[in-house]
């Protein structure tokens, strides 16, 4: 571990990433569990509801959880939520999923920041390595586990993650923090909030962050490595990965405002700017010579070049919102925003991808007798922009300046049936012009039964979809060149000759008719509390998934050759990404909170997740009539069993101790990696003895943070540690277009301080 700045910060005292408890803040450890369940949440139906009453599975990560967690990254916080799974392929790139098979870019979750969708429409998920928001600025995170298509539309089939930041009176005054730790982690932050005039609050904030990433896997620390061989033994080979990667540097800042001229009118908005850079590997593919070299000693092919590429992301969000609230059941809002994103990404040989999104959204909530109606509509304009595509590169799009629209509307009615029953019916119609002009319908029905104020039973059925991202519509990524005819004849035993694909690139391309993936889900749950000391929340689900996307296998006879749509007049050997499989998944979460005393809080949870009944579809255009088989590692990326525990303890003399632990059943660490050729199995055909698979195993994680409050809670000093019991290990690995090697996860420690003026 690199101490660097850690030593300097330690001398000063210092923190984790969350703030001191200032006067007026809510300390949830001092609240009864009943009052925790009565906290307001807004993500379920985009209107204010009590958490106790909602007919869905929801977990709230509040300001107190953030302050006590010792987390330095958003994924560290989200790992606290039962039903969400995060594991690190590197410091900057997690594998993640909510109630689904984990992967780099989950397309089944909606991500929002203060009501602004921040899901990247090009890949359908979140680039965690390029997303930067200071955890000190977060008020709460609402994690909905289960479908949200009726309210949020497509790409919310397994969950919604909604982040709310501090503003208005909650951000008044000046707050300064300085955090540092191992791996040269440094993150200074400052926020200043002021009531500029009656009922007008302005908040300015800024943050810088830098981190060197995890310590380098010792196998790849020099110019060569001793590659382990299956069956035993090692072989020394050149190290392709000698550059500096996995680091992250970011600077972000913003201005927020909140103006409430009347009791029931509130204007709010923000301007957010963030710039993030990180290191990833790219690969430059070199061509085979068209003719056999005259001399046997002549180089047959220049080796492909692996090099580090500095990725840079620039993102701007401008938002304005008007909320008019007559009562909890009579309110409406209008939300408008513009989001601009440009990202120089290391994918393949590197490419700049970007988009501009403008959206107008409105919703009206009203109660008429026993009916609580919500109606909303939205119109979104998405301009895709691609640049820096080189002729000798390996990533191309056919239309670098494409315009698409998303148009939607929904209606939902929550009906009171007597004093204890609620029935909620709703549906959303949505059109994504990139795919089709025909609207997709996402309906749902939900029941809630409240035998008492302390208990709620609920059940739900829904249909949701995920639409193909732009990457599944118009991006071609070249993986490798098939050797030319002269090489195959000379070196491949039994080669029949005249393969059309010889001398052409293998490329991952969209299928001809990619359709939305459909999710049919059943859910049920129960939550309650007893004697203001014990609270529980149990939920379960079963989902049928139809038309899951996958990649067709390579035609090993090289007989398939098609024209490149993205880079004519080239021809390519295609690997199509298209709808190839159906499967079912089931599982659930059980959570219990216990508050034995006012200074101690315990939380235990257990999660279950399985994928089964996997059925591959016929591979389109396959000459051998094969059926698609999903790689085994994909089906086991999320562990079947996960247990979590949290302990919050307020100690004498202003100290606070927080300990959280996780244990999971074994799960796939990712696809096999060939340490000899330093390529994933999916990109090379080599002798079996040179492929090493990092074996699945159980995982244990223990984190802690120790806080000390001084100067009437204005100053907070914290020491934290993550993965404190773990020896370095490869937690996950996945190629997915990026050239990389298996990184190791290990212990990290840090300190810091926060001062609230």
């Amino acid at each position: 571990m690199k101490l660097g700045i850690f030593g300097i910060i330690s001398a000063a005292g210092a923190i984790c990433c969350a703030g001191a408890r200032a006067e007026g803040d809510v300390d949830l450890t001092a609240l009864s569990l009943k009052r925790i369940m009565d906290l307001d949440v807004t993500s379920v139906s985009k209107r204010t509801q009590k958490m106790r009453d909602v007919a869905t599975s929801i977990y709230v990560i509040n300001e107190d959880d953030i302050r006590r967690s010792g987390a330095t990254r958003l994924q560290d916080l989200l790992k606290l939520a039962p039903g969400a799974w995060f594991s690190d392929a590197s410091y900057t790139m997690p594998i993640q999923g909510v109630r689904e098979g984990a992967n780099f870019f989950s397309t089944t979750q909606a991500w929002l920041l203060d009501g602004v969708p921040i899901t990247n429409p090009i890949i359908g998920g979140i680039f965690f390595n390029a997303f930067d928001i200071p955890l000190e600025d977060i008020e709460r995170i609402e994690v909905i586990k289960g479908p949200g298509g009726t309210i949020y539309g497509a790409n919310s089939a397994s969950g919604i993650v909604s982040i709310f930041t501090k503003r208005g009176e909650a951000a008044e005054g000046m707050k300064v923090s300085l955090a540092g730790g191992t791996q040269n982690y440094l993150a200074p932050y400052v926020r200043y909030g002021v009531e500029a005039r009656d009922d007008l609050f302005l908040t300015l904030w800024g943050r810088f962050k830098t981190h060197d990433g995890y310590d380098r896997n010792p196998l790849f620390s020099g110019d060569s490595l001793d590659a382990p061989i299956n069956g035993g033994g090692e072989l020394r080979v050149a190290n392709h990965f000698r550059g500096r990667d996995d680091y992250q540097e970011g600077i972000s800042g913003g201005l927020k405002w909140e103006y409430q001229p009347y009791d029931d009118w509130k204007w709010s908005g923000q301007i957010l700017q963030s710039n993030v850079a990180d290191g990833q590997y790219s690969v430059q593919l070199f061509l085979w010579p068209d003719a056999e070299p005259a001399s046997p000693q002549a180089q047959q092919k220049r080796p492909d070049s692996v090099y580090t590429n500095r990725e840079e992301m620039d993102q701007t969000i401008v938002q304005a919102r008007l909320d008019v609230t007559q009562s909890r059941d009579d309110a409406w809002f209008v939300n408008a925003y513009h989001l601009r994103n440009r990202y120089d990404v290391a994918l393949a040989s590197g490419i700049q991808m970007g988009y501009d999104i403008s959206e107008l959204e409105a919703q009206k909530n009203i109660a008429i007798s026993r009916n609580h109606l919500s109606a909303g509509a939205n119109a979104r304009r998405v301009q895709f922009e691609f640049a820096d595509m080189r002729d000798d590169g390996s990533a191309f799009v056919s239309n670098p300046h494409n315009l698409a629209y998303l148009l939607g509307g929904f209606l939902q009615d929550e009906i009171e049936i007597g004093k204890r029953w609620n029935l909620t019916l709703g549906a959303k119609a949505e059109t994504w012009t990139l795919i089709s002009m025909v609207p997709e319908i996402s309906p749902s029905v939900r029941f809630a039964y409240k035998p008492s104020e302390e208990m709620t039973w609920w059940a739900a059925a829904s249909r949701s979809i995920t639409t193909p991202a732009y990457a599944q519509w118009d991006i071609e990524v070249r993986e490798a060149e098939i050797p030319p005819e002269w090489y195959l004849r000379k070196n491949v035993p039994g080669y029949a000759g005249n393969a059309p694909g010889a001398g052409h690139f293998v490329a991952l391309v969209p299928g001809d008719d990619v359709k939305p993936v459909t999710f049919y889900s059943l859910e049920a749950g129960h939550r309650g509390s007893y004697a203001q000391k014990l609270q529980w929340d149990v939920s379960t689900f079963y989902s049928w998934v139809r038309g899951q996307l996958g990649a067709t296998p390579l035609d090993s006879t090289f007989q398939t050759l098609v024209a490149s749509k993205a880079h004519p007049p080239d021809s390519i050997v295609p690997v199509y990404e298209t709808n190839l499989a159906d499967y079912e998944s089931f599982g659930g979460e059980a959570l219990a909170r216990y508050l034995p005393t006012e200074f101690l809080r315990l939380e235990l949870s257990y999660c279950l997740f399985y994928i089964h009944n996997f059925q591959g579809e016929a591979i389109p255009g396959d000459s051998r009539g094969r059926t698609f088989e999903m790689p085994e590692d994909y089906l086991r990326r999320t562990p079947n069993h996960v247990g979590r525990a949290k302990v919050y303890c307020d100690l004498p003399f202003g100290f606070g101790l927080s300990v959280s632990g996780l244990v999971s059943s074994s799960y796939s660490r990712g696809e096999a990696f060939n340490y000899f050729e330093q390529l994933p199995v999916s990109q090379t055909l080599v002798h079996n003895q040179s492929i090493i698979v990092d074996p699945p195993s159980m995982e244990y994680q223990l984190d802690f943070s120790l806080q000390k409050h001084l100067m009437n809670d204005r100053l907070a000093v914290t020491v934290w540690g993550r993965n404190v019991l773990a020896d370095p290990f490869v937690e996950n690995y996945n190629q997915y277009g990026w050239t990389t090697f298996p990184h190791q996860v290990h212990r990290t420690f840090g300190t810091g301080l926060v001062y609230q003026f």
Side-chain angles (χ1 to χ4, degrees):
M1 295 176 294
K2 304 171 218 171
L3 294 179
I5 294 168
F6 174 64
I8 300 174
I9 302 295
S10 295
I15 156 211
C16 73
C17 55
R21 186 172 68 248
E23 185 178 353
D25 287 347
V26 178
D27 180 6
L28 292 183
T29 55
L31 296 177
S32 70
L33 294 176
K34 179 179 182 299
R35 289 183 63 189
I36 292 177
M37 294 305 295
D38 284 338
L39 291 174
D40 288 337
V41 294
T42 58
S43 296
V44 177
S45 298
K46 293 187 180 180
R47 64 183 180 90
T48 303
Q49 297 173 278
K50 297 295 183 185
M51 189 165 72
R52 174 186 302 281
D53 298 335
V54 296
T56 193
S57 179
I58 184 171
Y59 185 86
V60 177
I61 301 170
N62 55 60
E63 183 179 359
D64 188 61
D65 295 322
I66 298 170
R67 177 173 62 87
R68 292 172 177 268
S69 68
T72 60
R73 306 174 300 172
L74 179 62
Q75 53 264 43
D76 296 333
L77 283 180
L78 293 173
K79 203 167 185 176
L80 299 173
W85 177 251
F86 287 78
S87 61
D88 285 340
S90 67
Y91 176 79
T92 58
M93 297 288 281
I95 309 291
Q96 55 90 21
V98 176
R99 283 190 175 180
E100 66 161 346
N103 53 71
F104 263 136
F105 307 117
S106 173
T107 61
T108 66
Q109 299 155 36
W111 294 82
L112 298 100
L113 176 63
D114 291 323
V116 175
I118 54 174
T119 304
N120 187 310
I122 296 175
I123 53 99
I126 289 286
F127 278 109
F128 277 88
N129 58 314
F131 180 72
D132 183 45
I133 181 172
L135 305 188
E136 302 93 329
D137 204 46
I138 297 176
E139 180 183 84
R140 70 184 189 280
I141 304 173
E142 298 180 8
V143 182
I144 297 174
K145 298 159 291 179
T150 298
I151 303 297
Y152 292 92
N155 302 83
S156 59
S158 71
I160 297 104
V161 178
S162 190
I163 303 168
F164 297 87
T165 63
K166 299 172 185 175
R167 63 183 65 204
E169 290 185 84
E172 196 171 3
M174 175 171 279
K175 181 176 183 178
V176 177
S177 72
L178 178 63
T182 52
Q183 278 52 58
N184 286 328
Y185 170 65
L186 178 66
Y189 165 82
V190 61
R191 185 185 71 212
Y192 178 66
V194 61
E195 187 173 8
R197 48 169 292 187
D198 290 344
D199 301 314
L200 172 62
F201 291 90
L202 300 177
T203 305
L204 282 166
W205 66 271
R207 198 273 292 268
F208 171 77
K209 176 184 177 182
T210 182
H211 195 290
D212 284 349
Y214 288 124
D215 286 345
R216 195 169 183 82
N217 187 329
L219 268 178
F220 297 87
S221 60
D223 292 336
S224 62
L225 69 140
D226 294 322
I229 305 298
N230 274 359
E234 297 176 339
L235 181 65
R236 176 152 292 191
V237 296
N239 178 16
H240 296 174
F241 299 96
R242 296 188 295 271
R244 177 174 176 249
D245 77 320
D246 200 28
Y247 67 87
Q248 187 179 50
E249 301 167 358
I251 184 168
S252 55
L255 168 66
K256 305 178 201 176
W257 61 88
E258 187 174 280
Y259 178 49
Q260 193 162 358
Y262 312 106
D263 289 341
D264 50 358
W265 282 62
K266 182 171 71 175
W267 293 89
S268 60
Q270 65 178 323
I271 300 173
L272 169 64
Q273 176 67 41
S274 61
N275 302 86
V276 183
D278 75 314
Q280 302 290 340
Y281 283 98
S282 291
V283 59
Q284 177 63 54
L285 303 177
F286 293 111
L287 298 174
W288 284 82
D290 293 332
E292 182 178 1
S295 169
Q297 287 76 32
Q299 187 179 40
Q300 293 184 338
K301 176 185 181 295
R302 182 180 177 185
D304 295 336
S305 174
V306 175
Y307 59 97
T308 50
N309 200 332
R310 181 179 171 88
E311 298 187 322
E312 295 186 0
M313 189 279 291
D314 178 90
Q315 180 166 284
T316 304
I317 297 175
V318 180
Q319 179 192 20
R321 179 179 173 120
L322 170 63
D323 288 87
V324 179
T325 306
Q326 304 289 340
S327 67
R328 183 179 290 266
D329 294 317
D330 186 0
W332 58 273
F333 73 80
V334 177
N335 184 35
Y337 71 89
H338 178 78
L339 188 156
R340 181 186 185 275
N341 182 289
R342 294 295 183 271
Y343 187 17
D344 293 315
V345 64
L347 173 69
S349 59
I351 187 175
Q352 185 187 89
M353 55 176 63
Y355 53 89
D356 292 85
I357 301 177
S358 300
E359 182 168 17
L360 180 64
E361 174 191 20
Q363 181 171 322
K364 171 66 176 177
N365 308 309
I366 191 169
I368 303 175
S369 184
R370 294 181 176 270
N371 299 75
H372 300 263
L373 296 167
S374 295
N378 64 294
R380 184 182 305 174
R381 179 187 186 273
V382 184
Q383 177 72 54
F384 295 97
E385 296 288 343
F386 293 85
D388 297 340
M389 291 177 288
R390 310 189 317 268
D391 284 339
D392 64 346
S394 49
F396 304 98
V397 297
S398 61
N399 187 349
H401 313 288
N402 206 348
L403 178 63
Y405 293 91
L406 186 145
L407 306 171
F410 81 92
L411 179 63
Q412 180 173 278
D413 187 8
E414 182 180 337
I415 308 166
E416 294 181 8
I417 304 175
K419 295 183 178 180
R420 299 182 177 180
W421 290 87
N422 280 352
L423 168 64
T424 303
L425 304 172
K428 182 164 189 173
E430 195 171 56
T431 297
W432 179 221
T433 62
L434 186 70
I435 305 301
S436 172
M437 295 300 296
V438 178
E440 290 281 352
I441 309 298
S442 298
S444 67
V445 55
R446 297 181 180 273
F447 293 92
Y449 171 59
K450 295 190 61 176
S452 67
E453 283 298 314
E454 289 75 29
M455 292 191 183
T456 301
W457 299 82
W458 61 270
S462 62
R463 175 189 186 269
S464 299
I465 65 164
T466 64
T467 55
Y470 200 86
Q472 284 101 38
W473 191 81
D474 187 29
I475 296 183
E476 175 184 309
V477 179
R478 299 184 177 184
E479 303 287 350
E481 184 190 12
I482 296 171
E485 186 76 20
W486 64 263
Y487 182 89
L488 296 176
R489 287 182 181 275
K490 184 176 180 179
N491 295 281
V492 178
Y495 177 65
N498 300 317
H504 293 275
F505 282 104
V506 176
L508 179 66
V509 295
D512 291 333
D513 186 22
V514 184
K515 297 180 175 63
V517 183
T518 306
F519 292 72
Y520 301 94
S521 301
L522 296 177
E523 302 173 88
H526 170 59
R527 64 175 62 93
S529 60
Y530 176 75
Q532 301 188 16
K533 296 288 186 180
L534 177 65
Q535 183 268 320
W536 60 89
D537 197 333
V538 180
S539 58
T540 185
F541 71 94
Y542 198 102
S543 295
W544 293 261
V545 182
R546 298 295 178 259
Q548 177 65 32
L549 296 177
T552 60
L554 174 67
D555 178 5
S556 58
T557 65
F558 311 139
Q559 296 298 312
T560 305
L561 188 68
V562 300
S564 170
K565 297 179 181 178
H567 195 253
D570 293 357
S571 295
I572 58 172
V573 177
V575 172
Y576 292 110
E577 188 170 14
T578 189
N579 307 92
L580 287 174
D582 301 335
Y583 68 88
E584 298 166 23
S585 63
F586 67 89
E589 303 86 35
L591 177 145
R593 294 187 181 99
Y594 181 49
L595 194 68
T597 68
E598 64 179 9
F599 56 83
L600 180 64
R601 185 171 119 191
L602 310 176
E603 179 178 301
L604 297 174
S605 66
Y606 166 74
C607 304
L608 175 74
F609 179 82
Y610 274 90
I611 292 177
H612 75 133
N613 285 353
F614 182 89
Q615 296 180 347
E617 299 180 6
I619 298 172
D622 186 68
S623 59
R624 290 182 281 171
R626 290 174 294 175
T627 299
F628 176 71
E629 296 181 8
M630 182 70 78
E632 182 66 23
D633 75 275
Y634 175 84
L635 302 177
R636 301 184 60 233
R637 278 292 176 89
T638 299
N640 299 138
H641 309 277
V642 180
R644 293 175 173 88
K646 287 196 303 185
V647 180
Y648 293 166
C649 183
D650 290 329
L651 303 173
F653 307 108
F655 284 96
L657 176 65
S658 305
V659 179
S660 62
L662 178 149
V663 58
S664 75
S665 60
S666 63
Y667 63 98
S668 172
R669 302 299 187 186
E671 61 185 276
F673 183 81
N674 173 8
Y675 285 91
F676 176 70
E677 294 194 3
Q678 297 168 47
L679 290 171
V681 172
S682 61
Q683 288 195 4
T684 184
L685 297 175
V686 295
H687 192 272
N688 289 337
Q689 291 304 306
S690 63
I691 295 175
I692 299 295
V693 180
D694 291 295
S697 61
M698 292 184 65
E699 182 174 330
Y700 304 88
Q701 180 174 334
L702 183 67
D703 307 328
F704 78 89
S705 70
L706 179 66
Q707 307 97 31
K708 168 65 175 174
H709 296 279
L710 302 164
M711 302 172 62
N712 294 322
D713 281 351
R714 290 191 176 277
L715 176 65
V717 180
T718 306
V719 178
W720 55 263
R722 302 192 64 79
N723 282 309
V724 296
L725 299 182
D727 293 326
F729 69 102
V730 176
E731 189 172 33
N732 225 308
Y733 170 77
N734 193 336
Q735 179 71 13
Y736 201 82
W738 275 258
T739 301
T740 187
F741 64 94
H743 290 71
Q744 289 189 333
V745 174
H746 56 75
R747 304 175 184 90
T748 55
F749 299 92
T751 61
L753 58 86
V754 176
Y755 188 80
Q756 178 79 51
F757 289 87

